[in-house]
Amino acid sequence: FAGYVLSAERDSKLTGQEKYRTFSDILANTSIVSAGVRYFLNIIAKPSWSCEAADDSKEAEMYAEFVEEVLDDLATPWSRVVRRSGTYRFHGFSIQEWTAKKRDDGKIGLQDIESRPQWTIWRWEVDDAGLVAGVWQLSPNSGLPVGIPRSKLLYLVDDVLSDSPEGTGIF
């Protein structure tokens, strides 16, 4: 409602931003949980990533090579981006914001893909069709809301059990 997720949860430690603090406490203080989460995230981040050409044309091969170059040139290593993105399975969603840069060859690539922790996502912009159009993040530095449009987001959600933009994670 008005960008805020309504929940039927009765435990105040599992509602709003407080649930992400509760989850962080469990991760930090329950060794079997932290070991399992770390193991899963390391498994998904470890593989070598490559891009396959859509067909045998020179153009398709050129685009595949370009994507690999962009991923290798991020300020944050791609494996860390994947690892942070994988937290959606536990929290229900994951938000990353990408920034573009002009490359030396004149093409536009990616400068970085930076994590936006779940506890900082305060409100959701949802369009009339129920699709996420953007989010409002409370800046950890200033405490002020910052709007991030959907076109700038890498947004992953576990929406199997819920149509909430926050999804329903394992936690």
Side-chain angles (χ1 to χ4, degrees):
F1 180 76
Y4 296 97
V5 174
L6 299 178
S7 172
E9 179 62 56
R10 294 177 189 231
D11 185 343
S12 62
K13 291 182 181 178
L14 297 176
T15 60
Q17 276 35 61
E18 189 61 28
K19 71 180 165 186
Y20 301 111
R21 289 183 190 91
T22 302
F23 297 163
S24 292
D25 182 53
I26 291 168
L27 272 169
N29 297 308
T30 309
S31 59
I32 190 67
V33 173
S34 59
V37 169
R38 181 177 295 272
Y39 183 73
F40 172 80
L41 296 176
N42 284 342
I43 286 173
I44 66 169
K46 187 63 177 164
S48 297
W49 291 83
S50 63
C51 184
E52 291 184 22
D55 55 45
D56 292 333
S57 70
K58 290 276 190 195
E59 184 179 35
E61 186 62 38
M62 178 188 69
Y63 285 125
E65 289 174 10
F66 174 72
V67 169
E68 287 185 3
E69 288 174 13
V70 168
L71 294 181
D72 287 341
D73 193 34
L74 291 170
T76 301
W78 180 244
S79 61
R80 188 177 303 161
V81 171
V82 171
R83 184 178 289 118
R84 288 178 177 169
S85 298
T87 63
Y88 88 95
R89 298 282 294 152
F90 302 98
H91 294 291
F93 76 98
S94 174
I95 298 275
Q96 317 286 318
E97 182 181 10
W98 62 267
T99 51
K101 73 172 180 179
K102 187 174 182 180
R103 296 165 28 116
D104 292 338
D105 60 8
K107 296 177 183 175
I108 302 297
L110 293 173
Q111 172 67 35
D112 204 0
I113 302 174
E114 298 179 13
S115 177
R116 299 293 178 246
Q118 288 86 354
W119 64 270
T120 67
I121 304 303
W122 204 253
R123 283 187 28 226
W124 297 84
E125 292 288 334
V126 179
D127 66 16
D128 292 337
L131 301 173
V132 173
V135 296
W136 288 89
Q137 177 188 27
L138 279 186
S139 169
N141 296 328
S142 68
L144 298 173
V146 177
I148 308 171
R150 177 68 176 97
S151 60
K152 293 270 298 166
L153 297 178
L154 170 58
Y155 165 61
L156 293 97
V157 62
D158 186 347
D159 59 0
V160 173
L161 302 176
S162 167
D163 62 352
S164 165
E166 290 184 344
T168 304
I170 294 170
F171 291 153

